[in-house]
Amino acid sequence: MKKRIIYKKWIFEVDVKRTKEVYAKIDLGSPESCICSGCKNFSINREEIYPNEFKSLLNELGIDYKKESEVVHYCKLENGSHFYGGWFHFKGKILSGVDSRQELNLNDNSLSMISMTDDFKVAFSKDGALSFFDSDEFDELVQVDFSAHSEWIIDKNLELD
């Protein structure tokens, strides 16, 4: 059964049951599956990185917020915080609201993100990159992208630039 979920300027049609089924089969999210210090820092600090609004939205969509499809450490910022990006997926579609992924040219895309907090942004697009879902479901996936700033909380000797 599909459910309509409204978030800000978007209306989604979501197969919450199927999304929960897929996430229930996943043991670890991307940062726990990786050995790099950037991912270790992210996974230990996840509860502080994700705003409650984001965790609530993911829960409503059927997504386990501790099982990211991908997390990337981009860089250390001038203010000392670390810039991360990542994404999740849910089975469904965008009924209303723009696809946040905009093609700049043949080989380049840009995401139009909205702020949840000063340190956290989110975007929604039709994409299935590194998805946990079966390949025959890729046409019915929405990617939930995020960008975040985080403090470095693990061993300073492991800190990335």
Side-chain angles (χ1 to χ4, degrees), residues 1-136:
M1 185 163 126
K2 296 182 179 174
K3 177 179 177 183
R4 283 186 184 223
I5 295 175
I6 299 170
Y7 179 73
K8 301 212 183 262
K9 58 184 178 180
W10 289 274
I11 300 173
F12 304 109
E13 182 179 85
V14 184
D15 187 336
V16 175
K17 181 181 178 205
R18 176 66 183 142
T19 301
K20 284 183 176 185
E21 287 172 357
V22 168
Y23 279 89
K25 294 178 185 175
I26 305 306
D27 291 327
L28 300 172
S30 168
E32 285 81 12
S33 301
C34 181
I35 60 169
C36 82
S37 59
C39 283
K40 181 180 264 191
N41 185 69
F42 185 93
S43 65
I44 290 173
N45 201 24
R46 179 188 283 120
E47 294 298 327
E48 298 302 317
I49 293 171
Y50 290 150
N52 288 335
E53 178 182 345
F54 186 64
K55 291 186 273 191
S56 294
L57 174 62
L58 293 181
N59 184 56
E60 190 175 5
L61 295 169
I63 296 171
D64 182 339
Y65 74 89
K66 294 181 180 178
K67 296 179 181 175
E68 300 86 351
S69 294
E70 180 68 296
V71 169
V72 178
H73 177 273
Y74 289 114
C75 63
K76 182 177 179 180
L77 300 170
E78 286 183 18
N79 68 4
S81 67
H82 289 259
F83 181 53
Y84 284 92
W87 58 87
F88 301 86
H89 299 93
F90 65 86
K91 184 161 183 177
K93 56 187 168 184
I94 300 170
L95 295 177
S96 178
V98 298
D99 186 316
S100 298
R101 188 168 311 280
Q102 299 169 8
E103 191 172 309
L104 300 176
N105 60 48
L106 204 51
N107 298 314
D108 196 12
N109 290 307
S110 175
L111 277 177
S112 174
M113 303 186 96
I114 63 163
S115 295
M116 281 189 166
T117 70
D118 289 342
D119 293 326
F120 194 89
K121 294 180 180 179
V122 67
F124 306 95
S125 62
K126 184 175 172 37
D127 200 343
L130 301 174
S131 169
F132 300 131
F133 287 81
D134 296 334
S135 60
D136 63 342

